[in-house]
Amino acid sequence: MKVAVVGATGLVGSEMLTVLAERNFPVTELIPVASERSKGKEIEFKGKKYKVVTPTEAIALKPDVALFSAGGGTSTEYAPLFAEAGITVIDNSSAWRMDPTKKLVVPEVNGDVLTAEDKIIANPNCSTIQMVVVLKPLHEKYKIKRVVVSTYQSVTGTGVKAVQQLNDERAGVEGEKAYPYQIDLNVIPQIDVFQDNGYTKEEMKMIKETNKIMQDDSIKVTATTVRIPVVGGHSESVNIEFENDFDLAELRAALEAQDGVIVVDNPANLEYPMPKDAHGKDEVFVGRIRRDESQDKTVNLWIVADNLRKGAATNAVQVAELLAKKGLI
């Protein structure tokens, strides 16, 4: 299969190449794509070298599928051109997520919605992906009424510049800033720009995307998203209120049975998910599972995942795998 990776030189693009190789996706020809200034650079994939091409050149090479991770502007401009040429696009930017004509897909949650007509498929926001994988079996079993989520998101979610800022600050070096404030030894309660309602764009993404992926607008969601000085892995404190009561052992068993979820929950041995343990993994980890003692039919969870993998690259590759399995690409 001919596979294009648009944004191949970026953080998520590089991770997409790693995940494609690790999961043995049937790549017969790789087409690494980036901006004009990266044209001609060499990318290594499975021991072979490939030259970076521009998006226009990539379309002419007719890949079967294109994994996009080059920002919303690039996706808005080029994804429709790839789609018009019959190439299936899986886009990691926010450009198409809330477009009612486009599917927003996490394979373990709503992979069944994909059809041959879907030529631009949106990859959800990293913090939404890891949460909905955990919500799905609980919604099926107990029906979720409301979700309150606070995130603890790593600097890799912002990009290379943010990682550099953190490293510079730790080394006492002056350098370019990705954030308006110091991030080392600090916590910034703002991810993306503020909206008129006082929420950030990231918080509103989590709210709207959860309803769309879960295919249920009755689920009420409220979010606070926070940037922390961690290099990789997003963590979330999630409080879930159900319509129906639950047995804690049954709830835990439902999570253990969910595809893509690993339960790490043994307080007696101080075992719970942490970002460093999720690093390089494709699964979503959940622990600190306990009843909310202030309210009936409510549970507290702690959810952790590698934001560059399941939160971005892995999910996109899993969508491609599902399309291939269904014979849609």
Side-chain angles (χ1 to χ4, degrees):
M1 200 177 288
K2 283 169 86 168
V3 179
V5 175
V6 183
T9 56
L11 263 183
V12 175
S14 302
E15 202 65 40
M16 283 174 171
L17 297 173
T18 302
V19 174
L20 285 166
E22 281 181 14
R23 295 176 74 90
N24 284 315
F25 192 80
V27 180
T28 49
E29 185 186 337
L30 179 75
I31 304 167
V33 187
S35 62
E36 192 72 48
R37 69 175 180 274
S38 296
K39 183 182 170 175
K41 269 189 186 174
E42 285 195 330
I43 295 272
E44 192 169 314
F45 178 74
K46 284 194 158 183
K48 282 181 73 177
K49 288 193 161 63
Y50 297 88
K51 277 195 160 51
V52 171
V53 300
T54 65
T56 307
E57 290 169 328
I59 293 168
L61 292 169
K62 291 270 192 236
D64 299 289
V65 63
L67 307 180
F68 268 63
S69 191
T74 302
S75 295
T76 304
E77 184 178 354
Y78 287 106
L81 301 178
F82 275 73
E84 280 164 26
I87 303 156
T88 301
V89 171
I90 302 164
D91 179 49
N92 194 54
S93 81
S94 60
W96 307 100
R97 290 176 187 158
M98 294 317 297
D99 183 325
T101 67
K102 305 291 183 286
K103 307 285 172 59
L104 184 65
V105 177
V106 178
E108 301 94 330
V109 180
N110 65 335
D112 58 327
V113 300
L114 291 170
T115 69
E117 283 70 56
D118 297 314
K119 285 298 172 195
I120 298 176
I121 300 157
N123 212 34
N125 186 43
C126 47
S127 45
T128 308
I129 290 173
Q130 67 186 69
M131 185 170 76
V132 295
V133 173
V134 171
L135 295 184
K136 182 182 190 277
L138 303 183
H139 188 48
E140 285 176 352
K141 206 164 172 60
Y142 308 112
K143 189 156 174 38
I144 295 171
K145 279 175 71 175
R146 184 170 186 251
V147 177
V148 181
V149 55
S150 297
T151 73
Y152 305 71
Q153 294 177 232
S154 76
V155 295
T156 49
T158 306
V160 176
K161 200 162 95 171
V163 177
Q164 193 58 53
Q165 178 181 338
L166 177 59
N167 290 336
D168 285 346
E169 287 169 356
R170 287 196 173 160
V173 173
E174 272 302 315
E176 201 180 355
K177 305 285 188 199
Y179 303 117
Y181 300 103
Q182 174 185 321
I183 184 62
D184 189 32
L185 301 174
N186 194 24
V187 164
I188 302 173
Q190 175 193 351
I191 299 180
D192 214 323
V193 295
F194 281 101
Q195 310 289 280
D196 291 342
N197 63 357
Y199 286 77
T200 65
K201 200 170 174 185
E202 181 87 354
E203 289 158 355
M204 294 312 298
K205 281 181 201 170
M206 286 196 78
I207 293 163
K208 291 173 180 171
E209 289 178 24
T210 298
N211 290 137
K212 184 171 178 179
I213 298 161
M214 300 291 288
Q215 300 171 73
D216 191 339
D217 288 339
S218 75
I219 300 171
K220 292 177 178 165
V221 183
T222 189
T224 302
T225 58
V226 180
R227 191 70 69 193
I228 62 169
V230 165
V231 172
H234 289 352
S235 305
E236 298 172 349
S237 171
V238 186
N239 177 274
I240 310 162
E241 182 187 355
F242 301 109
E243 292 273 0
N244 305 305
D245 208 353
F246 59 90
D247 173 79
L248 206 53
E250 272 180 17
L251 183 145
R252 189 179 274 105
L255 290 171
E256 286 169 344
Q258 169 64 19
D259 187 28
V261 168
I262 294 177
V263 174
V264 182
D265 187 39
N266 189 346
N269 291 336
L270 310 185
E271 291 172 1
Y272 31 70
M274 292 181 286
K276 72 177 189 62
D277 302 323
H279 183 69
K281 307 274 184 22
D282 289 334
E283 296 83 9
V284 174
F285 298 82
V286 60
R288 299 296 322 277
I289 303 165
R290 62 215 188 273
R291 274 190 180 273
D292 178 345
E293 295 189 347
S294 72
Q295 181 168 268
D296 289 342
K297 304 175 190 170
T298 305
V299 71
N300 284 305
L301 307 170
W302 176 252
I303 302 169
V304 177
D306 184 324
N307 54 295
L308 293 184
R309 292 194 55 118
K310 183 54 183 167
T314 300
N315 198 76
V317 173
Q318 286 175 319
V319 171
E321 287 171 344
L322 187 58
L323 290 168
K325 187 179 169 188
K326 288 182 159 197
L328 302 176
I329 51 172

